[in-house]
Amino acid sequence: MPGSLIRRFIQAATSDGLQRRSLTLTAIVGTLLNLINQGDSLLSGHTPNLFKLALTYAVPYCVATIAGATALMRRR
C-alpha cells in the first residue's frame, strides 16, 4: 500500500504541467523572500548566504509541488 501511494504521488507530481507551475511560483516567491531576508546584503554588494538563498527557493518549490500533487491525487 505505501509503495502504491508513493508511485501515485510521483506520477501526480510529474504530470499535468505541475513542475512548470511550481517553478513559476518558486521564481516569484523565492525572489521576494530572498529580497526580504537578504536584501540588505544584496543591495550593499556583499555576497549573500548561498545556503539560505538556495533554501529560500527550494522550500516554495517543495510546498507548491506537494500541494499540487496532493490536489491531483484527490481529484483522481
Side-chain angles (χ1 to χ4, degrees):
M1 182 80 151
S4 173
L5 182 62
I6 292 170
R7 268 188 248 109
R8 285 181 46 224
F9 177 81
I10 291 171
Q11 275 184 324
T14 57
S15 67
D16 297 319
L18 182 62
Q19 290 177 343
R20 185 171 28 94
R21 289 191 301 271
S22 293
L23 286 171
T24 301
L25 180 72
T26 297
I28 295 166
V29 173
T31 299
L32 289 173
L33 289 174
N34 270 312
L35 288 173
I36 291 167
N37 294 327
Q38 299 193 77
D40 55 342
S41 176
L42 292 168
L43 295 174
S44 67
H46 294 100
T47 303
N49 183 322
L50 297 179
F51 180 72
K52 286 183 181 180
L53 189 132
L55 278 180
T56 305
Y57 283 102
V59 170
Y61 178 80
C62 290
V63 170
T65 302
I66 291 168
T70 303
L72 285 173
M73 287 172 63
R74 286 187 181 159
R75 262 197 268 161
R76 294 179 181 168

